[in-house]
Amino acid sequence: MKFLIALCIMILWTCAYTAMSRTLSEPSIVEAHQQWKMKYGRTYTNSSEMDKRYQIFKENLKYLVNFNNAGNKSYKLGLNPYSDLTSEEFIATHTGLKVPRHLSSSKKGSNTIHFNLSDDVPTKFDWREQGVVTDVKNQGNCGCCWAFSTVAAVEGIVKIKNGNLISLSEQQLLDCDEQSYGCNGGYIETAFNSIIQSKGILRESDYPYKENDQTCKLNGQIAAAAQITSFAHVTSNDEQQLLQAVVQQPVSVSIAVGEEFQSYQNGVYSGTCGRSLNHAVTIVGYGVNEEGKKYWLVKNSWGESWGENGYIRVLREGGESKGQCGIAMHAAYPII
Ligand SMILES: *[C@@H]1O[C@H](CO)[C@@H](O)[C@H](O)[C@H]1NC(C)=O
Ligand SMILES: *[C@@H]1O[C@H](CO)[C@@H](O)[C@H](O)[C@H]1NC(C)=O
Ligand SMILES: *[C@@H]1O[C@H](CO)[C@@H](O)[C@H](O)[C@H]1NC(C)=O
């Protein structure tokens, strides 16, 4: 029954959507905004806030309807919980990567591993099928993608090496990595170092996510659920090197998020990028779609309502050595 209702809502939603893309009249946009607010439980505190959000929603909707109608792209945009935010607001509150100065130049970090290219890598690979990836999480209104990205990579290597898939604590990094800036952004390098210095990382359930910076609650000894010994950078601007790393384990990567990311719905993303690396995510696989487009399978931390159940497929080997939106520029993985 529940399933039928959900199905009906989905069909109505799709019809409303298709009709709307033909007309996009003011009443249809008002109606779409109403439906969207109900679907995501969004409320506004007063009428001026409501008007402001409606205008932003309208601009976002027009953009994505026009985009999808153009119809010749390998990815689609759609409404999601972030559809009433401007791209500036969204990027300011939902990303949060900082890149160490010496690494943002072309110089390599001292701990960069160079893989010997192996010919027998599979044409597609998905760490989720190996049970190595936890459910998609949601950083919410806090610029701590750096914690989510590194934790997902640690969860991966812990399962691969120790056999247990354990959801680990981003909040520990948020509170205890003193070289990062909590919800105001942080470094994947210092996040890994913080885990090493703390002698491990707690379970998510023992140190749950609060969506804001708090004081570090580790006092000396911790009941660590997992430990790492070090981390390594992947040779930058080389997607073949990145591929070798991903076959080995899930890898923490950086991307330059541009405005279309916010509304990404499905497909292989080859759209707008930001000017610099501003978001950290985790590559958990790769593949080739029906049209022969190669992609990286990327776990994001914007909840399951965004993208393909929380994931995005990002164009792979699209011709730029730095990768689509710089995805091959700054990658690292933890070592046990
Ligand atoms: C309406 O709500 C917004 C957001 O909560 C707030 O910033 C603004 O001051 C409010 N305006 C009025 C007139 O109350
Ligand atoms: C896709 O659309 C763009 C913009 O309308 C156009 O410039 C481009 O040639 C189209 N590409 C194909 C393959 O149809
Ligand atoms: C690459 O191959 C060389 C020679 O076989 C070996 O010494 C080296 O450890 C390999 N590098 C990696 C990263 O596996």
Side-chain angles (χ1 to χ4, degrees):
M1 190 62 190
K2 260 190 187 154
F3 172 77
L4 277 180
I5 293 173
L7 192 68
C8 289
I9 292 175
M10 255 175 63
I11 291 169
L12 284 177
W13 181 260
T14 313
C15 291
Y17 213 71
T18 318
M20 196 168 54
S21 39
R22 269 183 241 116
T23 55
L24 266 194
S25 64
E26 199 70 34
S28 70
I29 299 173
V30 170
E31 176 61 23
H33 189 220
Q34 288 296 341
Q35 287 187 15
W36 175 86
K37 284 193 300 175
M38 268 168 50
K39 181 168 176 176
Y40 295 110
R42 190 86 156 104
T43 55
Y44 301 115
T45 49
N46 57 48
S47 60
S48 61
E49 179 69 8
M50 160 88 177
D51 290 346
K52 177 178 161 193
R53 293 295 150 200
Y54 172 74
Q55 291 305 328
I56 297 168
F57 177 87
K58 179 169 148 180
E59 289 312 308
N60 286 339
L61 181 65
K62 278 184 172 171
Y63 183 91
L64 71 91
V65 166
N66 286 335
F67 176 91
N68 290 343
N69 282 349
N72 65 358
K73 290 282 173 48
S74 59
Y75 63 103
K76 292 265 185 228
L77 303 179
L79 295 174
N80 63 29
Y82 310 119
S83 300
D84 69 348
L85 301 176
T86 65
S87 71
E88 292 76 21
E89 287 172 328
F90 180 72
I91 288 170
T93 52
H94 289 77
T95 59
L97 174 73
K98 293 181 186 292
V99 178
R101 219 166 270 264
H102 69 282
L103 288 178
S104 57
S105 72
S106 58
K107 271 192 236 130
K108 289 175 194 159
S110 56
N111 61 347
T112 300
I113 300 291
H114 194 82
F115 290 93
N116 297 319
L117 295 184
S118 133
D119 290 334
D120 56 1
V121 292
T123 52
K124 63 189 177 82
F125 193 76
D126 185 346
W127 278 114
R128 294 176 302 185
E129 291 167 3
Q130 317 293 316
V132 158
V133 186
T134 60
D135 291 344
V136 166
K137 302 182 187 183
N138 195 340
Q139 69 186 84
N141 246 322
C142 169
C144 65
C145 60
W146 54 276
F148 282 84
S149 163
T150 50
V151 163
V154 172
E155 288 168 349
I157 193 62
V158 167
K159 163 71 185 173
I160 292 168
K161 292 282 184 188
N162 303 347
N164 299 317
L165 181 64
I166 310 165
S167 182
L168 299 171
S169 171
E170 291 79 16
Q171 191 69 38
Q172 174 182 326
L173 301 184
L174 211 55
D175 296 350
C176 307
D177 174 0
E178 287 176 352
Q179 286 168 292
S180 283
Y181 301 90
C183 287
N184 295 319
Y187 304 97
I188 60 177
E189 288 79 9
T190 65
F192 286 133
N193 276 332
S194 162
I195 297 174
I196 298 164
Q197 279 156 18
S198 299
K199 302 202 164 37
I201 182 165
L202 295 185
R203 285 171 192 272
E204 183 88 62
S205 55
D206 288 341
Y207 202 150
Y209 187 54
K210 301 289 189 212
E211 211 179 314
N212 57 43
D213 311 346
Q214 309 203 334
T215 53
C216 181
K217 297 192 181 56
L218 302 178
N219 33 21
Q221 326 142 321
I222 66 168
Q227 294 184 318
I228 60 170
T229 49
S230 60
F231 70 96
H233 285 107
V234 179
T235 303
S236 40
N237 303 329
D238 186 336
E239 289 190 291
Q240 298 310 321
Q241 287 289 315
L242 187 52
L243 189 78
Q244 298 293 325
V246 170
V247 172
Q248 175 183 285
Q249 68 190 100
V251 175
S252 183
V253 294
S254 313
I255 46 174
V257 162
E259 53 207 14
E260 283 174 0
F261 265 84
Q262 180 182 347
S263 305
Y264 167 79
Q265 189 165 55
N266 56 46
V268 175
Y269 187 80
S270 55
T272 59
C273 306
R275 262 170 307 181
S276 57
L277 299 176
N278 56 9
H279 190 48
V281 289
T282 315
I283 297 185
V284 298
Y286 59 86
V288 185
N289 80 353
E290 313 75 48
E291 286 122 44
K293 272 203 189 314
K294 293 180 177 176
Y295 61 82
W296 295 110
L297 177 62
V298 174
K299 185 188 191 190
N300 200 351
S301 50
W302 294 344
E304 289 183 346
S305 306
W306 177 86
E308 297 182 332
N309 299 315
Y311 289 82
I312 180 170
R313 285 181 288 159
V314 174
L315 183 65
R316 177 168 62 97
E317 293 176 33
E320 288 179 89
S321 63
K322 67 185 171 68
Q324 177 67 27
C325 300
I327 197 165
M329 287 173 76
H330 179 229
Y333 56 87
I335 295 169
I336 293 186

